[in-house]
């Protein structure tokens, strides 16, 4: 973490519209610092090699004087603008314009909201054996695995740990995640535990050799919001640039799934799956569909809360 961070912050007001919001931006290489957003505080994470990745930064910041006395804080990737199409000042404006929430989050990949039942199912096409391992993780952690295949509305999709949240949120969320991880590690079969902590998760070499753990952690956000965080208020930040990238089919698929969830219509959910499968066969090709389509299509129609 950047040296003398507390002293630097005490000498200058919060950059983001002079509001009681403190957003850090994590970087690892010197050249990345040149790409950081001026609305955020640069946070040198080059010496941090924790398996937990961003979550480890959250833990450190929560204990650091740099986050004390502010209403909201968060730590975002140096690729925030690239992933979201949004500048820091725009993010802060959305937060300021919608006061009173405990956590502000977003989903830089809205196409997933149209295609997948939920983010756990989405993980199946990104990380080998993901759902199989997550089911074992859930069982060991004492979580209800029914939600792993439930249809979730687009409002429940979150990715990349892009959170700006209140002290109350962090005081509940961080212990929740730590407790889930420790409980699972204690109860998992050693071979399965070793696999979950292995770099097999990043077989496409897209995530700097990450294990399954950070991909599980980022998906625990909604699990937390439905359980220990159910008394907290969440606001999903809109990403206009990413929305503009959605084609007409993705927009219709997302709307169709949302209506199916809202009305609890198994018939409409089945229609969505059929339309989705046809779309994927046209866009992703036969080989992809033969490899993944069955795995991402649960047999039973279930709706998340």
């Amino acid at each position: 973490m950047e040296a003398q961070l507390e002293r630097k912050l005490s000498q200058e007001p919060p950059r983001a519209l002079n509001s009681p919001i403190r957003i850090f931006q994590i970087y690892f290489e010197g050249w990345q610092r040149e790409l950081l957003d001026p609305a955020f505080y640069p946070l040198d994470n080059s010496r941090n090699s924790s398996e937990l990745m961003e979550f480890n930064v959250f833990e450190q910041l929560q204990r650091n004087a740099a986050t004390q006395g502010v209403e909201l804080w968060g730590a975002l990737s140096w690729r925030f603008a690239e992933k979201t199409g949004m500048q820091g000042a725009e993010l802060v404006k959305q937060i300021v314009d919608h006061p009173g929430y405990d956590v502000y989050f977003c989903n830089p990949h809205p196409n997933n909201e149209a295609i997948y039942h939920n983010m756990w199912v989405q993980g199946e096409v990104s990380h080998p054996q993901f759902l199989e391992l997550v089911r074992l993780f859930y069982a060991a952690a004492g979580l209800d695995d029914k939600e792993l295949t439930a249809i979730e509305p687009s409002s429940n999709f979150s990715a990349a740990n892009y959170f700006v949240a209140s002290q109350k949120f962090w005081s509940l969320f961080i212990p929740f995640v730590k407790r889930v991880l420790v409980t699972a590690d204690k109860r998992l079969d050693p071979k399965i535990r070793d696999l979950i902590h292995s770099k097999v998760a990043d077989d496409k070499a897209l995530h700097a050799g990450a294990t399954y753990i950070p991909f599980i952690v980022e998906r625990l956000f909604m699990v937390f919001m439905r359980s220990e965080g159910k008394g907290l208020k969440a606001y999903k930040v809109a990403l206009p640039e990413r929305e503009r990238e959605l084609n007409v089919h993705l927009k219709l698929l997302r709307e169709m799934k949302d209506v199916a969830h809202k009305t609890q219509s198994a018939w409409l959910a089945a229609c969505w799956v059929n339309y989705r499968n046809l779309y994927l066969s046209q866009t992703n090709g036969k080989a992809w569909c033969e490899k993944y389509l069955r795995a991402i299509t649960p047999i039973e129609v279930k709706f998340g809360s």
Side-chain angles (χ1 to χ4, degrees):
M1 204 162 283
E2 189 160 322
Q4 299 177 316
L5 181 60
E6 300 95 324
R7 184 169 61 82
K8 285 186 176 184
L9 292 176
S10 67
Q11 294 173 351
E12 54 183 314
R15 303 176 186 185
L17 306 184
N18 289 324
S19 67
I21 302 169
R22 191 159 288 166
I23 304 175
F24 302 88
Q25 194 163 28
I26 305 164
Y27 70 97
F28 304 91
E29 305 285 347
W31 63 269
Q32 294 168 357
R33 181 165 182 143
E34 303 304 314
L35 304 177
L36 302 185
D37 195 297
F40 303 148
Y41 290 98
L43 189 61
D44 183 353
N45 202 40
S46 58
R47 297 182 182 180
N48 184 355
S49 58
S50 171
E51 176 189 25
L52 291 168
M53 302 179 80
E54 292 97 341
F55 186 78
N56 179 254
V57 176
F58 299 156
E59 283 191 273
Q60 292 186 56
L61 281 173
Q62 189 193 28
R63 298 191 298 264
N64 196 293
T67 60
Q68 307 309 306
V70 295
E71 291 183 17
L72 302 165
W73 64 268
L76 310 176
S77 160
W78 65 274
R79 297 179 64 190
F80 176 77
E82 175 187 330
K83 286 188 174 184
T84 64
M86 174 177 283
Q87 298 302 309
E90 297 174 69
L91 171 63
V92 174
K93 187 176 188 305
Q94 282 216 40
I95 294 172
V96 171
D97 288 348
H98 300 87
Y101 291 87
D102 295 288
V103 57
Y104 298 81
F105 71 99
C106 65
N107 177 27
H109 309 290
N111 56 302
N112 290 336
E113 300 166 5
I115 297 298
Y116 300 101
H117 287 58
N118 57 58
M119 284 302 294
W120 296 108
V121 173
Q122 183 276 331
E124 183 70 11
V125 305
S126 302
H127 314 291
Q129 300 175 269
F130 189 69
L131 281 174
E132 177 185 348
L133 292 173
V134 168
R135 284 191 182 94
L136 295 171
F137 177 92
Y138 257 58
L143 299 174
D144 184 357
D145 68 359
K146 291 180 181 177
E147 65 184 28
L148 294 179
T149 55
I151 293 175
E152 297 286 354
S154 57
S155 57
N156 284 5
F157 277 65
S158 168
N161 293 307
Y162 286 168
F163 310 134
V164 178
S166 67
Q167 303 286 359
K168 184 177 181 181
F169 170 86
W170 292 115
S171 70
L172 294 172
F173 178 65
I174 290 175
F176 168 80
V177 172
K178 290 171 68 176
R179 185 168 62 254
V180 168
L181 293 177
V182 170
T183 303
D185 274 344
K186 286 180 178 178
R187 297 176 179 173
L188 278 167
D189 177 276
K191 290 183 179 179
I192 299 299
R193 183 180 62 215
D194 290 347
L195 181 55
I196 288 176
H197 286 276
S198 77
K199 296 181 180 181
V200 172
D202 190 25
D203 65 327
K204 298 170 186 171
L206 297 175
H207 304 281
T211 72
Y212 285 91
I213 294 300
F215 305 117
I216 291 173
V217 168
E218 71 171 325
R219 289 168 172 81
L220 286 175
F221 169 60
M222 280 301 168
V223 179
F224 165 76
M225 291 302 293
R226 282 192 291 266
S227 55
E228 295 186 23
K230 63 184 178 182
L232 302 177
K233 293 174 62 180
Y235 179 81
K236 187 174 182 181
V237 174
L239 301 177
E241 288 300 315
R242 296 291 83 91
E243 288 292 320
R244 275 191 276 272
E245 294 171 354
L246 297 180
N247 62 43
V248 64
H249 294 290
L250 290 172
K251 290 177 181 178
L252 288 172
L253 281 165
R254 182 172 62 179
E255 182 179 359
M256 196 173 181
K257 180 162 73 86
D258 280 349
V259 173
H261 181 274
K262 184 177 181 179
T263 60
Q264 302 285 287
S265 171
W267 170 81
L268 188 55
C271 292
W272 165 71
V273 169
N274 287 334
Y275 181 9
R276 188 277 310 265
N277 290 355
L278 179 61
Y279 175 80
L280 289 174
S281 70
Q282 295 296 312
T283 57
N284 291 20
K286 182 179 179 181
W288 189 96
C289 288
E290 288 180 348
K291 184 176 182 179
Y292 294 118
L293 208 53
R294 181 172 294 181
I296 66 169
T297 310
I299 298 174
E300 184 182 357
V301 174
K302 292 181 291 186
F303 295 102
S305 56

